[in-house]
Amino acid sequence: MPTEAGPAAVLANMSAPPRSVVLLPRLRPAPGYGPGGTVGPAVGPGGGQRVSHALCLARIELAAAVCAWLQIGRGSARLGRPLGLARALVLLARTAAAGCPAGPAPRQEVARVANLTEAALLDELTRQLLALPWPDWVPPVAMAQPLGQDPALGLSRKPPVPTGVDCPLLAARLVSAIRGPVFLRRASPSLTHLLDLQGGDVPSLTWELWLPLRPGASS
């Protein structure tokens, strides 16, 4: 008749826990980095900060870049409408293609974009983002660090001054390649953060892109 195994039998059957070995490839220096990982032109706008062996490549302030280009504040009624941010980005793409400088867009073009259906709007925004070339400093993979903003910025009607990427379309393209905490240059554009301005106590459409190990920091 089988008997219940005692503590000694249980301990005898215990084996070592499984182990996993993860090998990470060495980072190759990106264009613009000199000997020893010195920072060159490969760092984007707002980048260059170092923490230990990590390097900040760029700062992305999407809402600030859009508002600065259109010369409106975050409290603008235009951005507060449904799909307001997406319509602003399409409007920017159209006016830029027509050679219009930064500033208020022509009223006729504003009306045309405002009358686009949701499907047509999102389709055009996706096509415009895919047509943008990547600057040389954009890496294949980076860590995306979201940052908070002062809630008072949501009430201001004065155009902000972006401290990072100042081209709103490039800022939108960078944001569209963020997947959670990771930036993937080859990822298809995601419009999750490009539809409306985020609300809440601490609105945020600001990120920093980081390399966890700057090129040249490891031999």
Side-chain angles (χ1 to χ4, degrees):
M1 183 174 181
T3 58
E4 184 177 352
V10 174
L11 291 175
N13 289 332
M14 291 184 65
S15 59
R19 296 182 179 180
S20 299
V21 177
V22 178
L23 299 178
L24 298 177
R26 182 181 301 174
L27 293 176
R28 292 180 299 175
Y33 290 93
T38 56
V39 178
V43 175
Q49 179 185 355
R50 298 187 184 190
V51 177
S52 184
H53 288 295
L55 173 67
C56 179
L57 292 177
R59 183 181 179 95
I60 309 168
E61 297 180 352
L62 178 57
V66 170
C67 292
W69 188 275
L70 293 176
Q71 297 182 6
I72 58 177
R74 282 190 59 129
S76 169
R78 184 191 307 173
L79 291 177
R81 296 168 185 165
L83 301 176
L85 180 58
R87 294 189 188 278
L89 289 169
V90 169
L91 180 63
L92 284 165
R94 289 187 176 188
T95 54
C100 297
R107 292 185 178 181
Q108 291 182 345
E109 197 60 51
V110 172
R112 293 190 187 99
V113 174
N115 290 328
L116 286 174
T117 64
E118 180 175 345
L121 175 72
L122 301 186
D123 179 69
E124 182 172 348
L125 178 56
T126 301
R127 287 188 287 104
Q128 294 284 5
L129 295 178
L130 284 172
L132 287 174
W134 288 117
D136 292 339
W137 58 264
V138 177
V141 180
M143 304 301 296
Q145 175 66 40
L147 303 174
Q149 293 178 341
D150 186 347
L153 292 177
L155 304 177
S156 174
R157 293 188 177 274
K158 295 182 179 179
V161 178
T163 59
V165 177
D166 58 1
C167 174
L169 294 177
L170 176 57
R173 182 66 183 99
L174 290 165
V175 170
S176 74
I178 293 176
R179 301 293 188 273
V182 180
F183 167 85
L184 301 170
R185 186 175 64 188
R186 301 182 68 175
S188 300
S190 169
L191 305 184
T192 302
H193 299 292
L194 306 182
L195 303 180
D196 296 290
L197 291 181
Q198 297 179 4
D201 295 334
V202 185
S204 178
L205 279 175
T206 302
W207 290 263
E208 286 180 345
L209 298 184
W210 285 79
L211 285 182
L213 185 68
R214 69 178 183 271
S218 177
S219 58

